[in-house]
Coordinates of all heavy atoms in Angstrom, one line a residue:
L17 N -122.1 -96.4 -84.0 CA -120.9 -97.1 -83.4 C -120.3 -96.1 -82.4 O -120.2 -94.9 -82.7 CB -119.9 -97.4 -84.5 CG -120.3 -98.1 -85.8 CD1 -119.1 -98.4 -86.7 CD2 -120.9 -99.5 -85.4
D18 N -119.9 -96.7 -81.3 CA -119.4 -95.8 -80.3 C -118.1 -96.5 -79.6 O -118.3 -97.5 -79.0 CB -120.4 -95.5 -79.2 CG -119.9 -94.4 -78.2 OD1 -119.0 -93.6 -78.6 OD2 -120.4 -94.4 -77.1
G19 N -117.0 -95.9 -79.9 CA -115.7 -96.4 -79.3 C -115.4 -97.8 -79.6 O -114.9 -98.5 -78.8
I20 N -115.5 -98.2 -80.9 CA -115.3 -99.5 -81.3 C -113.8 -99.8 -81.4 O -113.0 -99.1 -82.0 CB -115.9 -99.8 -82.7 CG1 -117.4 -99.6 -82.7 CG2 -115.5 -101.1 -83.3 CD1 -118.1 -100.6 -81.8
C21 N -113.4 -101.0 -80.8 CA -112.0 -101.5 -81.0 C -112.1 -102.9 -81.5 O -112.9 -103.7 -80.9 CB -111.2 -101.4 -79.7 SG -111.0 -99.8 -79.0
V22 N -111.3 -103.2 -82.5 CA -111.3 -104.6 -83.0 C -109.8 -105.0 -83.2 O -109.0 -104.3 -83.8 CB -112.0 -104.8 -84.4 CG1 -111.8 -106.2 -84.9 CG2 -113.5 -104.5 -84.2
N23 N -109.4 -106.1 -82.6 CA -108.1 -106.6 -82.8 C -108.2 -108.0 -83.4 O -109.1 -108.8 -83.1 CB -107.4 -106.8 -81.4 CG -107.4 -105.6 -80.6 OD1 -107.2 -104.5 -81.1 ND2 -107.7 -105.8 -79.3
Y24 N -107.2 -108.3 -84.3 CA -107.0 -109.7 -84.7 C -105.7 -110.1 -84.1 O -104.6 -109.7 -84.6 CB -106.9 -109.8 -86.2 CG -108.1 -109.3 -87.0 CD1 -108.2 -108.1 -87.6 CD2 -109.2 -110.2 -87.1 CE1 -109.3 -107.7 -88.4 CE2 -110.3 -109.8 -87.9 CZ -110.3 -108.6 -88.5 OH -111.4 -108.2 -89.2
G25 N -105.7 -110.8 -83.0 CA -104.4 -111.1 -82.3 C -103.7 -109.9 -82.0 O -104.2 -109.0 -81.3
E26 N -102.5 -109.7 -82.5 CA -101.6 -108.6 -82.2 C -102.1 -107.3 -83.0 O -101.7 -106.2 -82.7 CB -100.2 -108.9 -82.6 CG -99.6 -110.0 -81.8 CD -99.2 -109.6 -80.3 OE1 -98.2 -109.0 -80.2 OE2 -100.0 -109.9 -79.4
V27 N -102.8 -107.6 -84.1 CA -103.1 -106.5 -85.0 C -104.3 -105.7 -84.6 O -105.4 -106.3 -84.3 CB -103.3 -107.0 -86.5 CG1 -103.7 -105.9 -87.4 CG2 -102.1 -107.7 -87.0
T28 N -104.2 -104.4 -84.4 CA -105.4 -103.6 -84.1 C -106.0 -103.1 -85.4 O -105.3 -102.3 -86.2 CB -105.0 -102.4 -83.2 OG1 -104.4 -102.9 -82.0 CG2 -106.2 -101.5 -82.9
A29 N -107.2 -103.5 -85.8 CA -107.8 -103.2 -87.0 C -108.6 -101.9 -86.9 O -108.6 -101.1 -87.8 CB -108.6 -104.3 -87.6
L30 N -109.3 -101.8 -85.8 CA -110.1 -100.5 -85.5 C -109.8 -100.1 -84.1 O -109.8 -100.9 -83.2 CB -111.6 -100.8 -85.7 CG -112.1 -101.3 -87.0 CD1 -113.6 -101.6 -87.0 CD2 -111.8 -100.2 -88.1
E31 N -109.6 -98.8 -84.0 CA -109.3 -98.2 -82.7 C -110.2 -97.0 -82.4 O -110.2 -96.0 -83.1 CB -107.8 -97.7 -82.7 CG -107.3 -97.4 -81.3 CD -105.8 -97.0 -81.3 OE1 -105.1 -97.4 -82.3 OE2 -105.4 -96.3 -80.4
N32 N -111.0 -97.2 -81.4 CA -111.9 -96.2 -80.9 C -112.7 -95.5 -82.0 O -112.7 -94.3 -82.1 CB -111.0 -95.1 -80.1 CG -111.9 -94.2 -79.2 OD1 -113.0 -94.6 -78.9 ND2 -111.4 -93.0 -79.0
V33 N -113.3 -96.3 -82.8 CA -114.1 -95.8 -83.9 C -115.5 -95.5 -83.5 O -116.2 -96.3 -83.0 CB -114.1 -96.8 -85.1 CG1 -115.1 -96.4 -86.1 CG2 -112.7 -96.8 -85.7
S34 N -115.9 -94.2 -83.7 CA -117.3 -93.9 -83.5 C -117.9 -93.3 -84.8 O -117.2 -92.6 -85.5 CB -117.4 -92.8 -82.4 OG -116.9 -93.3 -81.2
L35 N -119.1 -93.7 -85.1 CA -119.7 -93.3 -86.4 C -121.2 -93.3 -86.3 O -121.7 -94.3 -85.8 CB -119.2 -94.2 -87.5 CG -119.8 -94.1 -88.9 CD1 -119.4 -92.8 -89.5 CD2 -119.4 -95.3 -89.7
S36 N -121.8 -92.3 -86.8 CA -123.3 -92.3 -86.9 C -123.6 -92.2 -88.4 O -123.1 -91.3 -89.1 CB -123.9 -91.2 -86.2 OG -123.7 -91.3 -84.8
V37 N -124.4 -93.1 -88.9 CA -124.9 -93.0 -90.3 C -126.4 -92.8 -90.2 O -127.2 -93.5 -89.5 CB -124.7 -94.4 -91.0 CG1 -125.2 -94.2 -92.5 CG2 -123.2 -94.7 -91.0
F38 N -126.9 -91.8 -90.9 CA -128.3 -91.4 -90.8 C -129.1 -91.9 -92.0 O -128.5 -92.1 -93.1 CB -128.4 -89.9 -90.7 CG -127.9 -89.4 -89.4 CD1 -126.5 -88.9 -89.3 CD2 -128.6 -89.4 -88.2 CE1 -126.0 -88.5 -88.1 CE2 -128.1 -88.9 -87.0 CZ -126.8 -88.5 -86.9
E39 N -130.4 -91.9 -91.9 CA -131.2 -92.4 -93.0 C -131.0 -91.5 -94.2 O -130.9 -90.3 -94.1 CB -132.7 -92.2 -92.5 CG -133.7 -92.9 -93.4 CD -135.0 -93.1 -92.8 OE1 -135.4 -92.3 -91.9 OE2 -135.7 -94.0 -93.2
H40 N -130.9 -92.2 -95.3 CA -130.6 -91.6 -96.7 C -129.2 -91.0 -96.8 O -129.0 -90.3 -97.8 CB -131.7 -90.6 -97.0 CG -133.0 -91.2 -97.3 ND1 -133.2 -92.1 -98.3 CD2 -134.2 -91.0 -96.6 CE1 -134.5 -92.5 -98.2 NE2 -135.1 -91.9 -97.2
D41 N -128.3 -91.3 -95.9 CA -126.9 -91.0 -96.2 C -126.4 -91.8 -97.3 O -126.8 -93.0 -97.5 CB -126.0 -91.3 -94.9 CG -126.0 -90.2 -93.9 OD1 -126.6 -89.1 -94.2 OD2 -125.4 -90.4 -92.8
F42 N -125.5 -91.3 -98.1 CA -124.7 -92.0 -99.0 C -123.2 -91.8 -98.6 O -122.7 -90.7 -99.0 CB -125.0 -91.6 -100.5 CG -124.2 -92.4 -101.5 CD1 -123.4 -93.5 -101.2 CD2 -124.2 -92.0 -102.8 CE1 -122.7 -94.3 -102.1 CE2 -123.5 -92.8 -103.8 CZ -122.8 -93.9 -103.5
L43 N -122.7 -92.6 -97.7 CA -121.4 -92.4 -97.1 C -120.4 -93.2 -97.8 O -120.5 -94.5 -98.0 CB -121.5 -92.8 -95.6 CG -120.2 -92.8 -94.8 CD1 -119.6 -91.4 -94.7 CD2 -120.4 -93.5 -93.5
G44 N -119.3 -92.6 -98.2 CA -118.1 -93.3 -98.7 C -117.1 -93.4 -97.6 O -116.8 -92.4 -96.9
V45 N -116.5 -94.6 -97.3 CA -115.4 -94.7 -96.4 C -114.2 -95.1 -97.2 O -114.1 -96.1 -97.8 CB -115.7 -95.8 -95.3 CG1 -114.6 -95.9 -94.3 CG2 -117.0 -95.5 -94.6
I46 N -113.2 -94.1 -97.2 CA -112.0 -94.4 -97.9 C -110.8 -94.6 -97.0 O -110.9 -94.2 -95.8 CB -111.7 -93.2 -98.9 CG1 -111.6 -91.9 -98.1 CG2 -112.8 -93.1 -100.0 CD1 -111.1 -90.7 -99.0
G47 N -109.8 -95.2 -97.5 CA -108.6 -95.5 -96.7 C -107.8 -96.5 -97.4 O -108.2 -97.2 -98.3
P48 N -106.5 -96.6 -97.0 CA -105.6 -97.5 -97.6 C -105.9 -99.0 -97.4 O -106.7 -99.3 -96.5 CB -104.2 -97.2 -97.0 CG -104.6 -96.7 -95.7 CD -105.9 -95.9 -95.8
N49 N -105.4 -99.9 -98.2 CA -105.5 -101.3 -98.0 C -105.0 -101.6 -96.6 O -104.0 -101.1 -96.1 CB -104.7 -102.1 -99.0 CG -105.4 -102.1 -100.3 OD1 -106.7 -102.2 -100.4 ND2 -104.7 -102.1 -101.4
G50 N -105.8 -102.5 -95.9 CA -105.4 -102.8 -94.5 C -105.9 -101.8 -93.5 O -105.6 -101.9 -92.3
G51 N -106.6 -100.8 -93.9 CA -107.0 -99.7 -93.0 C -108.2 -100.1 -92.1 O -108.5 -99.3 -91.2
G52 N -108.8 -101.2 -92.4 CA -109.9 -101.7 -91.5 C -111.3 -101.5 -92.1 O -112.3 -101.7 -91.4
K53 N -111.3 -101.2 -93.4 CA -112.6 -100.9 -94.0 C -113.6 -102.1 -94.0 O -114.7 -102.0 -93.7 CB -112.4 -100.4 -95.5 CG -111.5 -99.2 -95.6 CD -111.4 -98.7 -97.0 CE -110.7 -99.7 -97.9 NZ -109.3 -100.0 -97.6
S54 N -113.0 -103.3 -94.5 CA -113.9 -104.5 -94.5 C -114.3 -104.8 -93.1 O -115.4 -105.3 -92.8 CB -113.1 -105.6 -95.1 OG -112.9 -105.4 -96.5
T55 N -113.4 -104.7 -92.1 CA -113.7 -105.0 -90.7 C -114.8 -104.1 -90.2 O -115.7 -104.6 -89.6 CB -112.4 -104.8 -89.9 OG1 -111.4 -105.6 -90.3 CG2 -112.7 -105.1 -88.4
L56 N -114.8 -102.8 -90.6 CA -115.9 -101.9 -90.2 C -117.2 -102.4 -90.7 O -118.2 -102.4 -89.9 CB -115.6 -100.5 -90.7 CG -116.6 -99.4 -90.4 CD1 -116.4 -99.0 -88.9 CD2 -116.5 -98.2 -91.3
L57 N -117.3 -102.8 -91.9 CA -118.6 -103.3 -92.5 C -119.0 -104.6 -91.7 O -120.2 -104.8 -91.4 CB -118.5 -103.6 -94.0 CG -118.3 -102.4 -94.9 CD1 -118.4 -102.7 -96.3 CD2 -119.3 -101.3 -94.5
K58 N -118.1 -105.4 -91.4 CA -118.4 -106.7 -90.7 C -118.9 -106.4 -89.3 O -119.7 -107.2 -88.8 CB -117.2 -107.7 -90.7 CG -117.0 -108.3 -92.1 CD -115.7 -109.1 -92.1 CE -115.4 -109.5 -93.6 NZ -114.0 -110.0 -93.7
V59 N -118.4 -105.3 -88.7 CA -118.9 -105.0 -87.4 C -120.4 -104.5 -87.5 O -121.2 -104.9 -86.7 CB -118.0 -103.8 -86.7 CG1 -118.7 -103.2 -85.5 CG2 -116.7 -104.4 -86.4
I60 N -120.7 -103.7 -88.5 CA -122.0 -103.2 -88.7 C -123.0 -104.4 -89.0 O -124.1 -104.4 -88.6 CB -122.1 -102.2 -89.9 CG1 -121.2 -101.0 -89.5 CG2 -123.5 -101.8 -90.2 CD1 -121.1 -100.0 -90.6
L61 N -122.5 -105.4 -89.7 CA -123.3 -106.6 -90.0 C -123.4 -107.5 -88.8 O -124.2 -108.5 -88.8 CB -122.6 -107.4 -91.1 CG -122.9 -106.9 -92.5 CD1 -121.8 -107.5 -93.5 CD2 -124.3 -107.4 -93.0
G62 N -122.6 -107.3 -87.8 CA -122.6 -108.2 -86.6 C -121.8 -109.5 -86.9 O -121.9 -110.5 -86.1
L63 N -121.0 -109.5 -87.9 CA -120.1 -110.7 -88.2 C -118.9 -110.7 -87.3 O -118.3 -111.8 -87.1 CB -119.7 -110.8 -89.7 CG -120.8 -110.9 -90.7 CD1 -120.3 -110.8 -92.1 CD2 -121.6 -112.2 -90.5
I64 N -118.5 -109.5 -86.9 CA -117.4 -109.4 -86.0 C -117.8 -108.7 -84.7 O -118.5 -107.6 -84.8 CB -116.2 -108.7 -86.6 CG1 -115.6 -109.5 -87.8 CG2 -115.1 -108.3 -85.6 CD1 -114.5 -108.8 -88.5
K65 N -117.5 -109.2 -83.6 CA -117.9 -108.6 -82.3 C -116.7 -107.7 -81.8 O -115.6 -108.3 -81.6 CB -118.2 -109.6 -81.2 CG -119.6 -110.1 -81.2 CD -120.0 -110.5 -79.8 CE -121.5 -110.6 -79.7 NZ -122.1 -111.5 -80.6
P66 N -116.8 -106.4 -81.7 CA -115.7 -105.6 -81.2 C -115.3 -105.9 -79.8 O -116.2 -106.4 -79.0 CB -116.3 -104.2 -81.3 CG -117.7 -104.3 -81.6 CD -118.1 -105.7 -81.9
H67 N -114.1 -105.7 -79.4 CA -113.6 -106.0 -78.1 C -114.1 -104.9 -77.1 O -114.3 -105.1 -75.9 CB -112.1 -106.1 -78.0 CG -111.6 -107.2 -78.9 ND1 -111.2 -107.0 -80.2 CD2 -111.5 -108.5 -78.7 CE1 -110.9 -108.2 -80.7 NE2 -111.0 -109.1 -79.8
H68 N -114.2 -103.7 -77.7 CA -114.7 -102.6 -76.9 C -115.7 -101.8 -77.7 O -115.6 -101.8 -79.0 CB -113.6 -101.6 -76.5 CG -112.6 -102.2 -75.5 ND1 -112.9 -102.4 -74.2 CD2 -111.4 -102.6 -75.7 CE1 -111.8 -102.9 -73.6 NE2 -110.9 -103.1 -74.5
G69 N -116.6 -101.1 -77.0 CA -117.5 -100.2 -77.7 C -118.9 -100.8 -78.0 O -119.1 -102.0 -77.8
S70 N -119.8 -100.0 -78.4 CA -121.1 -100.5 -78.7 C -121.5 -100.3 -80.1 O -121.1 -99.3 -80.8 CB -122.1 -99.7 -77.8 OG -122.2 -98.4 -78.1
V71 N -122.4 -101.2 -80.6 CA -122.9 -101.1 -82.0 C -124.4 -101.2 -82.0 O -124.9 -102.2 -81.4 CB -122.4 -102.3 -82.8 CG1 -122.7 -102.1 -84.3 CG2 -120.9 -102.5 -82.6
F72 N -125.1 -100.3 -82.6 CA -126.5 -100.4 -82.8 C -126.8 -100.1 -84.2 O -126.3 -99.2 -84.8 CB -127.3 -99.4 -81.9 CG -127.2 -99.8 -80.4 CD1 -126.3 -99.1 -79.6 CD2 -128.0 -100.7 -79.9 CE1 -126.2 -99.5 -78.2 CE2 -128.0 -101.1 -78.6 CZ -127.1 -100.5 -77.7

Side-chain angles (χ1 to χ4, degrees):
L17 306 182
D18 188 25
I20 296 300
C21 297
V22 173
N23 308 318
Y24 297 104
E26 299 283 280
V27 177
T28 300
L30 298 177
E31 189 176 338
N32 196 23
V33 167
S34 298
L35 171 69
S36 298
V37 181
F38 294 94
E39 192 164 26
H40 292 299
D41 274 355
F42 182 8
L43 171 68
V45 180
I46 57 174
N49 283 324
K53 302 182 298 299
S54 296
T55 301
L56 180 77
L57 293 188
K58 287 174 190 166
V59 166
I60 296 172
L61 279 161
L63 297 176
I64 291 177
K65 274 208 163 61
H67 300 95
H68 292 286
S70 65
V71 189
F72 289 99

